Amino acid sequence: MKKADILIIGSGIAGLFFAIKMAKKRPDLFIAIMTKEKVQNSNTQMAQGGIAVVTDHIEDSFEQHIQDTIQSGGGFCDEEIVRMVINQAPERLKELIDIGVSFDKDKSGTWNLGLEGGHSQHRILHHKDISGEEIGKKLIETINQLSNITLFENHLVIDINTKKNKGNPSCTGAFYCDKVNSQIKYIQAKTIVLSTGGCGQLFKNTTNPEIATGDGIAIASRAGALIKDIQYIQFHPTALYEGDKNPFFLVSEAVRGFGAHIINEDKKRFIFKHDTRGELATRDIVSQAISEEMETSGKQHVYLDCRHLDFEEFYTHFPFITNYCQTIGLNPKTDLIPIVPVAHYQCGGINVNKNSETNIKNLYAIGECSRTGLHGKNRLASNSLLEALVFAHQASNHIENSIDDVSFSSKKIMADFSEPLINLYSDNFVELKKELQALMTVLYANKEVDFRKILDKMESMKMKTVSLLFEKQKITTQLVEFTNMLTVAKIVVESNMQQFFEKSPSY
Ligand code: SIN
């Protein structure tokens, strides 16, 4: 049976940055990272925009970034957390730069700061339009140099194990599937850190990769962790429309910050009718405005217009986006880019305090799977990578000082299961997943929603999943991921339902 002082689940920016900080603080600890596919396969790697940090204290200030964040969050942010994150941002940024992450500079040597929706100032540090790839690459290189970190790829964590501790549960280890030899096994851990990302795959139209199946939230909720604000799913206004596709290609918000316009079928700008900031309003406002426009026109998309912009400069800033558009026959210099709002980010998640602790002892959550209070009901653009860094730092400080009081659990666990995990029945799960995505799309479609009916349908999908399990007597990757999706979807529906009835008590 494996044993780790610290088990990190997931390999996005939060998990990797935490691992590095922890490994440097405590070289005596054995740190394991389990990730269900290759380490590069994370949402972080796809991030285009960058990191919002105040670096220019003449035009900008921490206070302006704080106010922008709070305004974007629609009154649902935790101000103490917002202040902590934004004040810490320069130190965390320096740590990224110290491990070799490069951010674009102007010819004069000053940061080339991008502008994005909801920001009153240019303050986004970025690496062209592939910021996530650059950050991920440098984090992975650093991880590979640290001898007390072991990275287990193709290790799918199924559930964590807890024990009752004077009434309070504490986590003691995790069941996982080693996908290479198809075995289900157990690892003992003193501390577990969930950094599993979001749940965008609950929706057919999403920017999130196929791995974004809400695993950490499902695992945490089954273990009794509190999930909060999960109904606040953020839709990104400018995903490239290419018909039926999953995931959608993202056209960064930074493109609007660079001056692109959003226009309708009549080639007219229309966002100003909804907000005086126009295209630079926050995502919730821009997405809603586009959805209404599409409803009126009966079309599947609106357009992003970049034709008036300096194309050479555009290409310098957005080579990845330009190249992708060209592969499908679109040239941003001469063509309108069809765009549509799609699910992009989960603003809520596993509830944590300022040290990233959940309500289960020794269980922490960081990054998109967590709910810290920073985002409220609508995350400010490019605040998510920042949140991941700050809460990874907070967790590492807390664990550094507390882990010596934790011992491995003496409870006996059936160590290894002899039954191999086999990737069978994919067709069943492809169909079930489509059915679930269709239900979730209805839930967020601005129409009257019959919550009971949605929950009943989910219950019947659960029964189908259980019968597939009984029939075949095998646990499969698809089964684990789909079960997690169902678990999270149900929580999302219930959170929406609770919010709806709180708003309309007489309904
Ligand atoms: C984008 O580049 O538009 C995405 C960045 C983010 O989600 O904050």
Side-chain angles (χ1 to χ4, degrees):
M1 191 190 311
K2 279 195 176 68
K3 250 184 178 187
D5 292 300
I6 301 173
L7 170 64
I8 301 165
I9 308 175
S11 61
I13 182 173
L16 298 182
F17 190 68
F18 167 79
I20 292 168
K21 294 213 67 150
M22 202 67 240
K24 287 184 177 170
K25 280 176 204 275
R26 292 288 304 262
D28 58 316
L29 298 179
F30 174 63
I31 300 168
I33 305 174
M34 287 193 179
T35 185
K36 65 179 176 176
E37 295 202 349
K38 297 295 272 182
V39 62
Q40 290 84 0
N41 199 355
S42 73
N43 226 347
T44 296
Q45 297 275 343
M46 300 173 77
Q48 296 177 359
I51 303 191
V53 181
V54 175
T55 51
D56 159 11
H57 290 273
I58 298 168
E59 291 296 322
D60 201 0
S61 63
F62 289 145
E63 195 55 35
Q64 288 181 69
H65 189 184
I66 289 166
Q67 293 313 324
D68 291 347
T69 301
I70 290 174
Q71 198 189 345
S72 182
F76 288 81
C77 299
D78 177 337
E79 186 171 338
E80 194 193 327
I81 293 294
V82 176
R83 289 186 180 278
M84 178 185 91
V85 171
I86 287 163
N87 287 323
Q88 246 192 53
E91 288 167 75
R92 303 290 78 81
L93 173 71
K94 182 174 180 312
E95 286 166 348
L96 269 193
I97 294 168
D98 287 347
I99 62 160
V101 177
S102 101
F103 293 101
D104 292 353
K105 289 190 169 170
D106 290 333
K107 286 195 187 89
S108 61
T110 54
W111 297 121
N112 180 282
L113 299 174
L115 180 64
E116 294 184 1
H119 287 274
S120 54
Q121 298 291 343
H122 285 71
R123 62 168 77 100
I124 319 297
L125 287 109
H126 59 97
H127 183 98
K128 300 192 173 19
D129 53 355
I130 49 164
S131 305
E133 195 183 309
E134 164 69 9
I135 294 168
K137 193 166 134 215
K138 298 293 160 46
L139 290 173
I140 294 166
E141 279 169 19
T142 311
I143 294 271
N144 289 336
Q145 288 158 17
L146 290 162
S147 60
N148 56 333
I149 302 177
T150 303
L151 177 64
F152 297 96
E153 293 183 314
N154 291 306
H155 278 54
L156 169 71
V157 172
I158 299 169
D159 258 323
I160 57 170
N161 190 35
T162 55
K163 70 167 187 206
K164 280 265 190 288
N165 195 354
K166 294 192 197 112
N168 281 336
S170 64
C171 75
T172 53
F175 297 96
Y176 66 94
C177 171
D178 176 346
K179 287 162 69 183
V180 174
N181 59 24
S182 297
Q183 297 261 302
I184 296 174
K185 298 182 180 172
Y186 186 74
I187 180 167
Q188 271 193 305
K190 290 182 183 171
T191 292
I192 295 183
V193 180
L194 292 166
S195 54
T196 50
C199 65
Q201 281 292 322
L202 292 185
F203 300 85
K204 180 164 92 50
N205 296 352
T206 179
T207 57
N208 290 193
E210 287 215 41
I211 49 154
T213 49
D215 302 336
I217 301 150
I219 289 170
S221 83
R222 284 194 291 266
L226 183 65
I227 311 296
K228 210 169 160 190
D229 289 351
I230 192 87
Q231 69 276 28
Y232 300 131
I233 302 287
Q234 179 171 72
F235 284 71
H236 195 293
T238 60
L240 181 64
Y241 177 77
E242 293 179 77
D244 214 8
K245 200 163 186 262
N246 177 309
F248 276 56
F249 181 82
L250 179 71
V251 180
S252 175
E253 181 135 0
V255 173
R256 292 194 327 274
F258 192 77
H261 298 156
I262 295 175
I263 59 173
N264 60 17
E265 271 307 294
D266 300 328
K267 314 289 177 282
K268 297 260 186 330
R269 289 172 78 181
F270 57 91
I271 311 284
F272 282 103
K273 285 191 278 183
H274 300 260
D275 193 290
T276 51
R277 293 168 292 184
E279 281 83 356
L280 287 173
T282 48
R283 284 180 189 168
D284 49 348
I285 294 167
V286 180
S287 292
Q288 180 67 26
I290 295 176
S291 299
E292 284 175 25
E293 194 68 25
M294 284 163 49
E295 180 109 19
T296 310
S297 69
K299 301 282 177 198
Q300 302 291 310
H301 56 78
V302 293
Y303 299 98
L304 197 62
D305 188 357
C306 308
R307 295 171 305 174
H308 55 287
L309 302 171
D310 176 331
F311 186 69
E312 225 172 276
E313 253 205 75
F314 184 90
Y315 187 70
T316 308
H317 279 82
F318 307 113
F320 179 64
I321 294 170
T322 309
N323 291 338
Y324 184 84
C325 285
Q326 284 171 348
T327 62
I328 59 162
L330 288 175
N331 181 354
K333 186 179 173 178
T334 48
D335 298 321
L336 295 177
I337 302 172
I339 48 150
V340 66
V342 303
H344 179 64
Y345 190 84
Q346 156 206 299
C347 298
I350 307 158
N351 197 47
V352 294
N353 64 13
K354 70 176 179 11
N355 295 321
S356 316
E357 291 176 283
T358 70
N359 55 310
I360 296 179
K361 211 166 176 319
N362 309 323
L363 180 66
Y364 295 72
I366 51 180
E368 188 174 349
C369 70
S370 67
R371 181 269 175 202
T372 63
L374 176 69
H375 308 312
K377 64 179 201 170
N378 178 59
R379 170 173 69 87
L380 184 66
S382 287
N383 264 358
S384 51
L385 296 182
L386 175 60
E387 181 195 49
L389 297 178
V390 170
F391 279 85
H393 168 81
Q394 294 293 109
S396 70
N397 275 353
H398 195 262
I399 294 169
E400 179 188 15
N401 297 318
S402 59
I403 195 160
D404 292 332
D405 298 331
V406 186
S407 24
F408 286 110
S409 168
S410 54
K411 197 169 140 191
K412 287 262 172 301
I413 299 287
M414 200 181 11
D416 293 337
F417 296 79
S418 54
E419 275 300 313
L421 180 144
I422 299 171
N423 271 331
L424 287 173
Y425 332 123
S426 55
D427 288 352
N428 295 101
F429 286 110
V430 169
E431 283 316 308
L432 279 169
K433 189 171 160 183
K434 277 192 186 150
E435 217 180 300
L436 180 63
Q437 289 173 332
L439 280 181
M440 294 303 287
T441 304
V442 169
L443 183 67
Y444 282 85
N446 279 338
K447 305 242 164 60
E448 259 184 36
V449 174
D450 187 339
F451 294 110
R452 203 24 64 210
K453 202 164 150 193
I454 293 182
L455 286 173
D456 286 348
K457 285 203 172 147
M458 286 182 177
E459 190 56 30
S460 92
M461 283 184 216
K462 188 170 156 193
M463 297 326 291
K464 274 189 211 160
T465 312
V466 171
S467 70
L468 280 172
L469 175 63
F470 275 106
E471 190 188 316
K472 310 289 182 185
Q473 297 282 313
K474 294 270 189 288
I475 294 180
T476 67
T477 305
Q478 289 97 332
L479 175 94
V480 173
E481 287 186 337
F482 186 72
T483 306
N484 287 342
M485 287 175 71
L486 259 185
T487 305
V488 179
K490 187 160 175 268
I491 306 172
V492 174
V493 177
E494 286 168 348
S495 308
N496 272 289
M497 190 159 99
Q498 189 182 347
Q499 180 174 281
F500 177 82
F501 287 113
E502 272 166 12
K503 267 204 227 146
S504 354
S506 60
Y507 185 80

